Amino acid sequence: MTSLVELRVLEGPNLYFPRAAVKLTLDISPLASASDETVVRFARRIGLKGARPGEPDTGFRQRFAARAIARLVRTIAAESGTSRLAVRVRPTGDPHRLVVAYPWRHRERAQVMGRAVAEVLDAVPGVGVEEVVARAAAAVASAEPGEAPSTITPTIPVVAVTGTNGKTTTSRLIAHIARTDGRRVGWSSTDGIYVDGALVEAGDYSGPSGAGRVLAHDDVELAVTETARGGILLKGIGLTRNDVSVVTNVSADHLGLQGIDTVDQLAEVKAVVPRITRKDGWAVLNADDPRVFAMRSVVRAQPWVFSRDPDSPAIREVLSHGGGRATTVIDGWVSVLDSRGEVDPLVELVDVPMTLAGLSRFNVENALAGASAALAVGISRDVVVAGLRTFRTDAEHNPGRMNIFSLAGEAHGVTVIVDLAHNEAGLEALLEVMAGVRRPGARLLLGLGAVGDRQDDLIERLGEIGAMGSDVVAICHKHRYLRGRTEGELEALLRAGTERVGVADVPAYPTEVEGLAALVAQAGPGDVVGLMCHAERDAVYTWIAEHGGTSDSPEELADKVRATGRA
């Protein structure tokens, strides 16, 4: 059995370093179980004289292994001609595995060194470990250097957006405001590459390749990049830096993948984006999310926070240190505060269509984040105001994100809301808006679904939240996103969640369209049907149009809110 579980080349800034790095996942079983005599001999060879390795297969031995492997990497590097090398070592959820990372400048030589480290670990139980270390260093020294990192240093302003929820909406808003300013904007996202509002390449480009594809267009004047967790972990960020970064929030999502098991670890991943913001740039951070607000301690850029609460202690802290700024809501106005105490009211929330007449708490936050980033990148306040007034959450401006429709014909009076809602926070936001447009006495009907690469407890929690927040619930499968699970597994987990809150016999439909059709057939005037739509967005839009559905204008939405009696 080899000690090398995985060797991954990260092309740009990553969880471990603000530049290209090699990440090794190593099985330390040979070192963890070796005899004291063998381990002491190994430690002596790599310069850890007097080390106390602890008993085999103990926590003490594991900590020694982390220290020893870092020293081993440096020893091989030094003996192969590299005098200084930064090394990071992290534990994983498996006590017999460690992650080791080091920067690289020459691709082939860096990979040879990774394999050489594993070969030394494989040899630890034997008697010739001293010679193996020497051979490993010689192999690295004689290796071809290989290519340099392909990380791009941008020559135009870049706004990079990350977060668990809201990053697509926020990046779309920033791109819209910049286009309102007359700039030719390139935008990379989970939906594709857009240049000046036109889709030029479809697909998920929220990884490192997206930024490169945008900057490959010579006529682009401003780049907006949506940066997802997966891209940072699997490849690193494709750019050396950004001018403005935005972190919308961090909550439980995609846990249990790529070694990220907790929300705190996920926050570390998201923090890579503001960590590479230029010193004279701005890091736009959610002041209401403690994990995001804490990122100000690891960034060089100036902090620009946003919060729905104008009296937030986080706002006071940022402004009191001088140089920081904040965007908040004061008396219903989106307002900017600076460290001198000046207040600039930009626009009333009721005139910002994306907030859905103030119903969508998350879209209020997205509007604050987007306005902050646009101002930070140098767009004038008047243009920012115009952009906020004209950006809508319809299928044209923001497809798949809180799109609200009114149906006609037999379903006249039924409202349909389509949203990605791919995690707990997203589903809660969808239910919040559904309840906000429901007339007194009407019902909420929810098309519930989940993608397969979520943890069991998160999928169950989606069922629980959906059943608690709606009057009728049905499971709508996403067959393109099973990701290793069966439909039966997902049904069982979702139903376990619904049954926990007393809702049993939840029906299931093979597609999102069929689930939507079944729910609309049960709905009456004033009822609201919400659909967690991930897999069949275009087909859902087509079905709605075929049934006389039209997208609600801001005025129509305001009328629905007034009809609830809560306006």
Side-chain angles (χ1 to χ4, degrees):
M1 184 183 72
T2 177
S3 299
L4 183 59
V5 178
E6 181 188 53
L7 187 157
R8 181 172 292 278
V9 178
L10 303 174
E11 302 288 348
N14 53 79
L15 179 60
Y16 313 100
F17 293 98
R19 54 194 180 278
V22 166
K23 172 196 169 190
L24 305 175
T25 304
L26 299 170
D27 187 327
I28 62 170
S29 297
L31 191 57
S33 59
S35 67
D36 287 355
E37 179 185 355
T38 299
V39 174
V40 168
R41 189 173 68 248
F42 169 65
R44 229 178 2 248
R45 172 61 182 84
I46 59 177
L48 285 179
K49 298 177 181 178
R52 294 183 293 177
E55 294 296 319
D57 295 313
T58 63
F60 296 105
R61 176 64 66 86
Q62 184 190 31
R63 288 180 176 274
F64 164 80
R67 181 184 172 203
I69 290 173
R71 186 60 173 261
L72 172 63
V73 174
R74 293 190 180 99
T75 297
I76 294 175
E79 294 184 14
S80 63
T82 300
S83 57
R84 297 175 63 186
L85 182 68
V87 181
R88 303 278 188 272
V89 180
R90 284 173 172 252
T92 69
D94 183 341
H96 290 101
R97 289 187 177 183
L98 290 175
V99 168
V100 184
Y102 51 88
W104 65 274
R105 292 181 180 175
H106 306 288
R107 181 186 303 270
E108 182 58 32
R109 186 171 291 164
Q111 292 182 83
V112 169
M113 187 163 79
R115 290 189 285 269
V117 169
E119 288 170 9
V120 173
L121 288 180
D122 290 341
V124 166
V127 294
V129 67
E130 294 89 345
E131 293 77 14
V132 176
V133 173
R135 286 201 307 270
V140 175
S142 63
E144 290 295 322
E147 299 175 350
S150 58
T151 323
I152 299 170
T153 298
T155 58
I156 61 172
V158 174
V159 180
V161 183
T162 192
T164 303
N165 293 294
K167 56 184 176 289
T168 300
T169 297
T170 301
S171 58
R172 279 179 179 150
L173 171 62
I174 296 166
H176 172 80
I177 293 173
R179 291 188 65 218
T180 303
D181 194 36
R183 304 192 192 194
R184 190 169 179 84
V185 182
W187 171 49
S188 61
S189 73
T190 51
D191 287 337
I193 303 294
Y194 290 77
V195 175
D196 204 29
L199 178 65
V200 295
E201 292 184 63
D204 186 349
Y205 284 100
S206 59
S209 64
R213 298 292 182 94
V214 166
L215 294 177
H217 293 267
D218 295 335
D219 54 347
V220 166
E221 299 171 312
L222 173 71
V224 181
T225 64
E226 180 183 338
T227 309
R229 162 213 60 88
I232 297 172
L233 290 169
L234 297 175
K235 281 290 187 180
I237 294 176
L239 304 179
T240 58
R241 64 173 186 249
N242 58 64
D243 297 87
V244 176
S245 55
V246 181
V247 186
T248 58
N249 48 64
V250 180
S251 62
D253 195 23
H254 294 288
L255 299 181
L257 300 174
Q258 288 94 39
I260 303 303
D261 300 309
T262 69
V263 180
D264 287 333
Q265 291 173 335
L266 183 60
E268 282 190 274
V269 177
K270 303 291 187 183
V272 174
V273 175
R275 267 174 42 202
I276 63 168
T277 304
R278 296 166 57 125
K279 187 175 181 180
D280 58 352
W282 292 92
V284 178
L285 305 174
N286 186 341
D288 296 331
D289 186 320
R291 292 183 178 89
V292 176
F293 185 60
M295 293 178 191
R296 73 198 186 285
S297 65
V298 299
V299 304
R300 301 175 302 158
Q302 307 162 94
W304 190 319
V305 298
F306 62 93
S307 171
R308 289 175 290 111
D309 178 10
D311 298 318
S312 163
I315 289 181
R316 289 201 302 273
E317 180 176 333
V318 166
L319 297 183
S320 65
H321 282 81
R325 294 185 187 174
T327 308
T328 187
V329 180
I330 300 176
D331 294 336
W333 283 75
V334 175
S335 303
V336 176
L337 315 178
D338 65 22
S339 56
R340 299 168 300 172
E342 296 290 335
V343 180
D344 182 9
L346 300 180
V347 60
E348 283 193 275
L349 269 184
V350 293
D351 294 325
V352 181
M354 68 177 292
T355 68
L356 306 177
L359 285 177
S360 175
R361 175 170 51 91
F362 282 97
N363 269 350
V364 170
E365 294 177 354
N366 293 336
L368 298 177
S372 303
L375 291 166
V377 83
I379 299 175
S380 72
R381 72 176 301 283
D382 290 344
V383 172
V384 171
V385 170
L388 289 171
R389 288 178 180 272
T390 53
F391 182 78
R392 299 184 178 184
T393 59
D394 55 23
E396 177 185 352
H397 289 85
N398 203 23
R401 270 73 178 180
M402 223 61 86
N403 305 146
I404 304 181
F405 301 87
S406 294
L407 298 185
E410 294 181 2
H412 177 73
V414 174
T415 295
V416 172
I417 304 179
V418 177
D419 189 75
L420 183 63
H422 61 296
N423 54 33
E424 296 171 65
L427 177 54
E428 288 169 348
L430 171 60
L431 291 166
E432 177 183 53
V433 174
M434 289 171 63
V437 295
R438 173 176 57 178
R439 296 180 195 170
R443 299 178 302 163
L444 303 182
L445 300 88
L446 177 67
L448 179 69
V451 296
D453 60 354
R454 300 317 197 251
Q455 292 175 311
D456 290 359
D457 57 346
L458 192 148
I459 297 174
E460 289 185 10
R461 179 65 179 147
L462 289 177
E464 187 176 335
I465 293 170
M468 284 193 299
S470 61
D471 301 292
V472 176
V473 62
I475 296 169
C476 305
H477 282 299
K478 309 172 189 300
H479 58 275
R480 286 170 45 201
Y481 293 92
L482 295 176
R483 294 175 178 170
R485 292 189 188 266
T486 66
E487 290 184 355
E489 287 179 87
L490 290 171
E491 280 183 33
L493 291 169
L494 290 168
R495 285 179 176 138
T498 65
E499 289 169 2
R500 194 176 296 142
V501 293
V503 178
D505 301 321
V506 174
Y509 299 91
T511 68
E512 292 171 345
V513 171
E514 290 175 76
L516 173 63
L519 290 170
V520 168
Q522 301 176 56
D527 286 350
V528 182
V529 176
L531 179 66
M532 299 172 68
C533 184
H534 198 97
E536 304 167 62
R537 189 171 69 201
D538 290 340
V540 165
Y541 290 157
T542 298
W543 187 93
I544 290 172
E546 290 173 348
H547 289 76
T550 56
S551 181
D552 283 357
S553 68
E555 295 75 22
E556 289 168 329
L557 181 58
D559 287 341
K560 287 184 177 181
V561 175
R562 280 192 289 271
T564 68
R566 290 185 288 273

